[in-house]
Amino acid sequence: MSQRSRGPGQPRDRELSLREGEVVKSRPQVKDGSSWDFKVHKVLGVGNFATVYECVSLREPGGVHGRRYALKFEKCESGGELQKDIALLLAMKDTGVVPELVCVGTHRGNGFFVMEKCGTNLHDFRSRHVDPSPSPAPSRGGKALHQMDEKLVYALGYCMLWALREMHRCGYVHRDVKLANFLLNYDENSRTTCVTLIDFGLSKSFLQEGSQAHVPQRPPVPQRILRGIFFWLRKNNFLFRMNMRRSTQIKNSFRLNLTGTKHQLY
């Protein structure tokens, strides 16, 4: 999950978290008036402004219950940090590369949304399938290179790039490309696996409002606060320039992510 910084002098509000076993109820949904109830299980991921929990449905439309979902909960009251996630999940719902949005709501004054629960993220997948190097080099994060099957690496890379291309076709750039934001989603019925893209808190439209024209490159803004995780920031970020689709971020992140190297070249 992405980590975003607050401006100077902006105090952090009191953070809230959900307890295991806590029941979360959604408000009636706009599209069909349905209501959902969920019981919180374990934490799946923690970010700077939100936490993702595994939850189980207690009530669903049609009387179904007991299915597992992922619930993303705002840490701070009325932060509005999840609105971009919700908007992008809706905008990309027909692409097949994002989880299905189930419902949205407010709990204890904080916003949340529930989405389809996919599989493990690629960062954890790599950690489990790449053995520690006998002589770990500091620059390689303690992982030996080339220990994953080459065909698997190519297949994962193809699916990651496909997901990003579908997002670009919808008019958005992700701006937080890293292994932890790609999930392996296994379908038991078809016995197939696809890569799903998540976490759109830093995403941005690259089209001008009401047209298909590309937004112009804005001049550098030195006083602008950097947003994102420091390790994954691009050269353009440090020069206070706008990130564009045709940057080197994707190819560098793809090559270096899968090998475990911690040196990015621009």
Side-chain angles (χ1 to χ4, degrees):
M1 298 175 61
S2 58
Q3 298 178 350
R4 280 149 272 170
S5 303
R6 289 179 176 254
Q10 289 183 294
R12 176 180 287 282
D13 299 327
R14 183 174 64 89
E15 293 186 355
L16 291 179
S17 60
L18 301 179
R19 301 180 299 274
E20 184 176 351
E22 185 170 352
V23 175
V24 177
K25 299 175 180 286
S26 77
R27 59 176 180 262
Q29 301 303 292
V30 174
K31 63 179 181 179
D32 56 12
S34 62
S35 297
W36 302 64
D37 296 346
F38 303 92
K39 179 184 285 188
V40 175
H41 276 204
K42 60 183 179 181
V43 173
L44 295 177
V46 180
N48 203 25
F49 285 86
T51 304
V52 179
Y53 300 86
E54 180 186 71
C55 63
V56 175
S57 65
L58 300 177
R59 180 176 61 153
E60 297 187 32
V64 181
H65 61 85
R67 292 192 287 194
R68 295 182 182 273
Y69 295 96
L71 186 153
K72 191 168 185 177
F73 181 71
E74 274 183 327
K75 288 183 175 181
C76 299
E77 184 176 356
S78 302
E81 295 292 334
L82 304 185
Q83 295 308 308
K84 191 174 289 186
D85 270 299
I86 294 170
L88 267 291
L89 288 174
L90 290 173
M92 299 175 59
K93 62 184 178 64
D94 296 325
T95 63
V97 299
V98 296
E100 178 184 357
L101 180 66
V102 174
C103 65
V104 299
T106 304
H107 181 70
R108 290 198 278 153
N110 289 29
F112 74 89
F113 67 85
V114 178
M115 57 185 169
E116 169 192 8
K117 183 180 182 295
C118 301
T120 184
N121 68 66
L122 288 181
H123 179 274
D124 292 342
F125 178 83
R126 186 193 66 182
S127 299
R128 288 200 300 266
H129 290 78
V130 179
D131 298 326
S133 170
S135 304
S139 64
R140 294 181 177 179
K143 300 291 184 182
L145 306 184
H146 313 303
Q147 292 183 353
M148 293 178 64
D149 179 78
E150 185 176 356
K151 292 182 179 179
L152 174 60
V153 173
Y154 285 144
L156 291 176
Y158 178 85
C159 291
M160 292 165 68
L161 294 174
W162 178 278
L164 291 170
R165 187 185 71 166
E166 291 300 302
M167 186 173 186
H168 294 168
R169 284 180 169 177
C170 292
Y172 296 91
V173 285
H174 193 278
R175 306 207 304 170
D176 196 14
V177 176
K178 58 185 179 183
L179 288 183
N181 285 338
F182 292 90
L183 304 180
L184 279 175
N185 192 16
Y186 177 69
D187 188 330
E188 293 184 356
N189 295 324
S190 62
R191 294 190 175 183
T192 58
T193 302
C194 65
V195 171
T196 303
L197 187 60
I198 59 169
D199 199 353
F200 306 106
L202 294 177
S203 301
K204 190 172 184 178
S205 173
F206 60 82
L207 299 178
Q208 296 185 33
E209 188 174 355
S211 75
Q212 294 297 308
H214 203 293
V215 294
Q217 175 71 279
R218 61 168 169 77
V221 185
Q223 68 271 22
R224 190 179 183 89
I225 298 172
L226 295 178
R227 293 168 65 87
I229 297 176
F230 183 83
F231 173 73
W232 295 113
L233 292 180
R234 290 188 57 245
K235 180 180 179 181
N236 272 355
N237 295 119
F238 293 103
L239 296 176
F240 303 99
R241 296 173 181 166
M242 181 188 301
N243 283 334
M244 309 297 283
R245 281 181 299 163
R246 56 189 175 203
S247 68
T248 57
Q249 178 190 25
I250 292 178
K251 70 177 183 181
N252 284 328
S253 295
F254 168 66
R255 175 173 61 84
L256 299 167
N257 265 326
L258 293 179
T259 60
T261 306
K262 289 200 173 182
H263 287 103
Q264 292 203 41
L265 305 177
Y266 296 99

